[in-house]
C-alpha cells in the first residue's frame, strides 16, 4: 500500500501567492487515507539566503531534514512547491533510478541564472547535481536517466541543459506507451514520477501559480503513468504545485488531482 507524505512547503516558490501552496497541499491531504498519510508541520517562516543566491535557503535545509526523517519506501510526496522532490530524492536509493519530470517549466536554472532566486525553478538542475552545493544532490542523477514531459515555458538559460535530457511533448502522450518506452530505454530498475500540476491544461487545472496553455489532459497523464508502471517499478512520486485561490476552486480541481493520485498510488 502506498504511503503519503504531505509537505506543505512554500519557501521554494517564486510566486507572490506562494502561501496558497500550503492550502493546496492541505486540500489534497483531506482526500487521502488518514491511516496512510503523514502531514509534516512545516515552519511558516521564510528563512534566510545565508549569503547564497537561493532565497530562503535556511528554511529549505530545515524542511529537507524533516523529509529525510519521514521518508519510507513507496512514498507519494504531496507538495508544496516542486523542490520537495529534491528533498525526497536525497533520501532514497538513486543508484538505478530514473526520473520523469512532468512540468510546464523545466526548472533547470541554477542560483547564477535564476531571475527570481526561488529554488523551485532550480529543482531539476539540483537533482542533476548542479547549482548551490548545499542543496544540489551529490551525486546527482545522471542526465541519461531523466525524462522531461510537457515543458513548454522556459528561459534562455534553460535551453542548453534541457537539450541534454530526453524530452517528450504533450502530443507524445497521445501514445500511452511513449513514456514507458523512453524510461525503459534508460536501463533504470525503478522510476520516480514528479508531477507539477501546471503540466495540465488550464481547462483542467486552474489552481496553479502560473498557468501555461496547451497542456496535457489528466486522463492522458494517468494512462501514460499506468503504462509506465507496467514496465518499470515505481519507487515513489511527487504531486506538487497545487495553489487554489479559494476552497471552491480547490474542489473544482481535485477531481483531476485525484485521478493522478490514483495513477501513482
Amino acid at each position: 500500500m502506498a504511503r503519503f507524505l504531505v509537505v506543505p512547503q512554500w519557501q521554494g516558490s517564486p510566486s507572490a501567492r506562494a502561501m496558497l501552496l500550503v492550502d493546496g497541499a492541505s486540500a489534497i491531504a483531506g482526500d487521502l487515507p488518514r491511516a496512510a498519510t503523514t502531514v509534516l508541520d512545516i515552519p511558516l517562516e521564510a528563512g534566510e539566503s545565508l549569503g547564497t543566491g537561493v532565497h530562503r535557503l535556511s528554511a529549505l535545509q530545515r524542511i529537507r531534514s524533516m523529509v529525510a526523517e519521514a521518508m519510507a519506501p513507496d512514498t507519494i510526496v504531496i507538495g508544496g512547491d516542486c523542490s520537495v522532490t529534491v528533498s525526497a530524492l536525497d533520501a532514497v536509493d538513486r543508484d538505478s533510478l530514473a526520473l520523469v519530470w512532468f512540468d510546464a517549466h523545466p526548472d533547470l536554472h541554477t542560483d547564477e541564472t535564476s531571475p527570481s532566486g526561488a529554488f523551485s525553478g532550480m529543482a531539476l538542475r539540483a537533482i542533476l547535481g548542479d547549482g548551490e552545493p548545499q542543496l544540489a544532490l551529490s551525486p546527482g542523477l545522471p542526465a541519461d536517466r531523466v525524462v522531461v514531459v510537457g515543458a513548454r515555458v522556459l528561459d534562455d538559460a534553460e535551453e542548453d541543459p534541457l537539450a541534454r535530457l530526453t524530452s517528450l511533448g504533450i502530443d507524445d502522450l497521445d501514445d500511452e506507451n511513449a513514456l514507458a518506452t523512453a524510461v525503459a530505454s534508460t536501463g533504470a530498475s525503478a522510476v520516480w514520477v514528479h508531477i507539477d500540476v501546471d503540466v495540465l491544461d488550464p481547462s483542467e487545472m486552474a489552481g496553479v501559480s502560473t498557468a501555461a496553455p496547451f497542456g496535457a489532459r489528466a486522463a492522458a497523464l494517468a494512462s501514460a503513468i499506468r503504462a509506465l508502471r507496467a514496465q518499470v517499478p515505481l519507487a515513489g512520486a511527487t504531486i506538487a504545485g497545487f495553489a487554489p485561490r479559494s476552497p471552491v476552486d480547490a474542489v473544482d480541481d481535485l477531481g483531476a488531482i485525484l485521478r493522478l493520485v490514483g495513477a501513482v498510488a
Side-chain angles (χ1 to χ4, degrees):
M1 179 178 179
R3 184 172 170 272
F4 298 93
L5 179 63
V6 181
V7 188
Q9 172 185 292
W10 66 273
Q11 288 89 338
S13 172
S15 173
R17 293 185 289 270
M19 292 294 293
L20 294 178
L21 292 164
V22 178
D23 298 336
S26 297
I28 298 172
D31 278 315
L32 300 177
R34 184 169 300 179
T37 301
T38 299
V39 180
L40 294 186
D41 186 15
I42 298 300
L44 292 179
E45 59 264 24
E48 303 292 338
S49 63
L50 302 180
T52 72
V54 180
H55 291 180
R56 310 173 186 130
L57 182 139
S58 63
L60 295 168
Q61 289 178 314
R62 178 179 175 187
I63 296 166
R64 187 157 169 164
S65 297
M66 297 171 66
V67 171
E69 292 178 3
M71 283 292 294
D74 302 317
T75 296
I76 309 301
V77 177
I78 304 296
D81 69 73
C82 284
S83 64
V84 298
T85 298
V86 187
S87 297
L89 292 183
D90 191 41
V92 302
D93 182 2
R94 304 188 298 277
D95 284 347
S96 186
L97 185 70
L99 171 65
V100 174
W101 194 265
F102 284 107
D103 203 319
H105 311 84
D107 297 340
L108 285 168
H109 278 288
T110 69
D111 52 310
E112 295 181 347
T113 67
S114 171
S116 68
F119 186 54
S120 63
M122 312 175 201
L124 182 51
R125 195 69 177 270
I127 289 168
L128 294 168
D130 299 328
E132 170 53 49
Q134 296 178 78
L135 294 173
L137 297 189
S138 181
L141 203 66
D144 60 6
R145 283 198 256 128
V146 176
V147 179
V148 177
V149 185
R152 55 198 186 276
V153 182
L154 61 156
D155 296 325
D156 291 346
E158 297 176 294
E159 291 181 357
D160 285 346
L162 182 60
R164 295 194 286 270
L165 307 176
T166 298
S167 294
L168 298 179
I170 296 299
D171 291 344
D172 291 316
L173 297 177
D174 292 340
D175 176 1
E176 69 174 20
N177 294 307
L179 177 61
T181 299
V183 174
S185 69
T186 69
S189 60
V191 61
W192 188 283
V193 173
H194 165 96
I195 305 169
D196 182 338
V197 295
D198 71 8
V199 74
L200 298 175
D201 192 80
S203 65
E204 298 205 12
M205 178 59 55
V208 298
S209 298
T210 306
F214 310 114
R217 294 176 296 112
L221 241 67
S223 294
I225 292 167
R226 290 193 173 95
L228 169 62
R229 296 184 66 183
Q231 291 198 41
V232 184
L234 190 72
T238 306
I239 297 176
F242 186 39
R245 294 173 185 254
S246 71
V248 172
D249 289 344
V251 170
D252 290 343
D253 287 337
L254 276 172
I257 289 177
L258 294 176
R259 185 189 289 263
L260 301 179
V261 171
V264 296

